Amino acid sequence: MTENQIESRAERAVLVGLSCPGFTAEQDADERTMAELKALAETAGAEAAAMTLQRRPAPDARTFIGEGKAEEVRQLAEVNEASLILFDNELSPSQMRNLEELTKCTVLDRSALILDIFAQRARTGEGKLQVELAQYQYILPRLAGMWTHLVRQTAGGGKSPIGTRGPGETQLETDRRHIRRRIDKLKEDLEQVRQVRAVQRRQRKKTEMPLVAIVGYTNAGKSTLLNALTGAGIPANDRLFDTLDPTTRKKRISDTQEILLSDTVGFIRKLPHHLVSAFKATLEELAYADLLLHVVDVSDEDWEQQAETVEKVVTQLGAQDIPRVMVYNKADKCAPDTLPFYRPDEGVAISAKTGEGLDALLAAIERALGRGKHRVCLRIPYSDGAVLDMLHREAQVEAVEYAADGTVVRAVVDDKTYGRVAEYLAEE
């Protein structure tokens, strides 16, 4: 095998999970979460060489899985030529360090793996700031002795190991005080981002254009849906966390209604709280949305648990009271009789890939926004100038002309405003 082939070969990883009776659902590992860990590993660029799930009454304080299991994992890594061990559970700094000493491999938990994937996916300045903040918040309590494997980074331009992308070796060699200063600076920068978003929200309110946010589990098809509805052209690959930086596009859903449609980062079980905190500047947009489209991958047998996970994060972000439309995506992969949960009054079954059901979805969005819209032509006498002022505040004024007997206004108004201006209706 040539040197280039060795450098390009994916890191091989052993996947480990622990299930204990006293664990919460967020702490526990099972076959489903292990399958998800495998998908995360592949997304990060690793090859899952072996997998083991242990059940024991309680975690071991020193090695989490016990000395005997740790030795078994070491042998698995040796036999499979793996240099990386990935845990589906969260490890303490001392447990991670002890396991690295026992196995002679890099040991990462699920949170560190997700952070690494986000470091790969961040493209915009804002996204990079948020990922860096999350990584430093994760690293700070684990600083002492945990990141000794960073010295094994290739110095000659080779590919960095999984778990080392992001802040990098130089910053991690600095003391806690420096990292805390960096965290404070990142928070200040992200606060400026939040202020910019607040200004954008105020400008959007002036245009009376509703914001519809697409939320859902990672890989549920959110980006594909945005592309199908708006032609946004953003990458939409079949892998976890393919979209990190949010994208917003305009979409006319009827003759009288135009909306802003915004994609968001996908959610996942055991999403590190550092990420939710760091991405608050982006995710808090959900709390200001007029409507949420909750996209569910109904071809996944775990769709109910995934939908629950999304709802928990939405609640955590303070957006639980915002109206939503359930969007049951990838329905083309399911036979009609396998959708007993689906009722038209509770959601829309679609296929973002084939376009099936998109017209019904647009109609559902218009209904859910709860605003009956009317395009009107009004002739307002000059003596009733207050009515014109009211229209500029509360309606979408499209054109204004001045005639001898008054002001001719073409506008889109809601039901409430329509009743107040009906007496001024004029022929087009």
Side-chain angles (χ1 to χ4, degrees), residues 16 47 68 73 100 107 130 192 225 264 282 289 315 326 346 369:
V16 183
E47 177 187 347
V73 170
E100 287 195 341
V107 176
Q130 292 174 125
Q192 292 179 4
L225 177 59
T264 60
T282 299
T315 299
M326 295 300 296
E346 292 186 352
L369 287 171

Side-chain angles (χ1 to χ4, degrees), residues 102-362:
L102 287 168
T103 62
K104 310 303 179 189
C105 294
T106 299
V107 176
L108 298 176
D109 59 16
R110 186 183 178 100
S111 293
L113 180 61
I114 292 174
L115 287 170
D116 184 86
I117 294 170
F118 271 58
Q120 295 181 55
R121 294 283 184 269
R123 295 290 179 269
T124 65
E126 178 188 348
K128 291 175 181 177
L129 283 175
Q130 292 174 125
V131 170
E132 188 177 357
L133 174 60
Q135 286 183 311
Y136 277 128
Q137 289 174 328
Y138 176 85
I139 288 168
L140 186 58
R142 295 168 168 81
L143 199 60
M146 176 185 159
W147 294 93
T148 54
H149 63 273
L150 286 173
V151 300
R152 298 198 293 269
Q153 284 191 76
T154 51
K159 185 179 178 183
S160 297
I162 291 173
T164 65
R165 286 176 281 253
E169 184 176 21
T170 303
Q171 290 87 339
L172 292 174
E173 289 173 344
T174 61
D175 59 15
R176 287 182 176 87
R177 185 179 301 171
H178 171 79
I179 291 182
R180 289 193 181 101
R181 283 200 300 265
R182 183 61 182 155
I183 287 174
D184 290 341
K185 179 64 169 62
L186 289 168
K187 286 181 176 179
E188 288 177 12
D189 292 343
L190 287 171
E191 182 58 34
Q192 292 179 4
V193 171
R194 295 178 69 184
Q195 292 173 4
V196 170
R197 289 188 181 278
V199 171
Q200 292 172 341
R201 280 195 296 269
R202 288 196 293 270
Q203 291 174 341
R204 188 180 73 237
K205 290 297 182 183
K206 288 181 181 179
T207 65
E208 288 292 315
M209 195 177 296
L211 174 65
V212 178
I214 304 174
V215 300
Y217 207 74
T218 182
N219 208 31
K222 300 181 299 299
S223 297
T224 303
L225 177 59
L226 183 68
N227 287 339
L229 291 176
T230 68
I234 59 176
N237 302 304
D238 186 16
R239 59 185 182 183
L240 305 184
F241 296 119
D242 194 57
T243 301
L244 178 57
D245 300 307
T247 302
T248 302
R249 294 289 186 272
K250 288 183 181 179
K251 171 65 179 177
R252 181 165 291 281
I253 60 175
S254 69
D255 289 342
T256 60
Q257 181 72 75
E258 192 172 22
I259 64 172
L260 288 173
L261 197 60
S262 182
D263 191 12
T264 60
V265 63
F267 303 140
I268 196 169
R269 276 180 292 238
K270 307 180 186 178
L271 188 67
H273 69 274
H274 305 296
L275 275 180
V276 176
S277 173
F279 275 72
K280 191 173 182 181
T282 299
L283 294 174
E284 72 176 0
E285 284 291 288
L286 299 183
Y288 295 94
D290 298 281
L291 179 69
L292 302 181
L293 298 186
H294 182 168
V295 181
V296 178
D297 175 5
V298 291
S299 68
D300 193 305
E301 62 181 18
D302 251 359
W303 71 267
E304 289 179 287
Q305 288 79 13
Q306 293 176 356
E308 262 182 45
T309 297
V310 173
E311 290 297 332
K312 285 179 182 177
V313 180
V314 166
T315 299
Q316 186 179 348
L317 294 167
Q320 67 275 11
D321 295 328
I322 295 176
R324 71 204 62 192
V325 172
M326 295 300 296
V327 183
Y328 300 113
N329 191 28
K330 306 186 186 181
D332 56 312
K333 295 184 177 181
C334 307
D337 59 356
T338 64
L339 302 178
F341 59 87
Y342 169 65
R343 294 204 303 270
D345 59 330
E346 292 186 352
V348 184
I350 71 161
S351 169
K353 187 174 182 179
T354 67
E356 175 189 345
L358 293 186
D359 288 340
L361 175 58
L362 293 178

Side-chain angles (χ1 to χ4, degrees), residues 7-141:
E7 285 189 358
S8 62
R9 189 176 71 174
E11 288 183 75
R12 293 172 65 80
V14 174
L15 312 186
V16 183
L18 177 63
S19 177
C20 294
F23 278 172
T24 65
E26 289 297 306
Q27 296 171 323
D28 209 22
D30 57 29
E31 286 77 8
R32 293 173 300 181
T33 63
M34 291 296 289
E36 197 168 75
L37 182 68
K38 180 181 178 182
L40 286 168
E42 292 170 350
T43 299
E47 177 187 347
M51 183 185 301
T52 178
L53 176 61
Q54 186 191 27
R55 292 175 174 83
R56 56 180 290 155
D60 179 71
R62 185 172 183 274
T63 62
F64 193 68
I65 53 176
E67 300 281 344
K69 191 67 175 180
E71 173 60 22
E72 180 186 325
V73 170
R74 186 196 67 76
Q75 293 175 8
L76 269 176
E78 185 178 334
V79 169
N80 289 280
E81 299 181 343
S83 60
L84 182 65
I85 297 173
L86 300 175
F87 274 77
D88 194 39
N89 316 80
E90 186 165 340
L91 302 176
S92 71
S94 62
Q95 288 168 341
M96 197 173 291
R97 185 167 61 250
N98 293 333
L99 285 164
E100 287 195 341
E101 290 174 356
L102 287 168
T103 62
K104 310 303 179 189
C105 294
T106 299
V107 176
L108 298 176
D109 59 16
R110 186 183 178 100
S111 293
L113 180 61
I114 292 174
L115 287 170
D116 184 86
I117 294 170
F118 271 58
Q120 295 181 55
R121 294 283 184 269
R123 295 290 179 269
T124 65
E126 178 188 348
K128 291 175 181 177
L129 283 175
Q130 292 174 125
V131 170
E132 188 177 357
L133 174 60
Q135 286 183 311
Y136 277 128
Q137 289 174 328
Y138 176 85
I139 288 168
L140 186 58

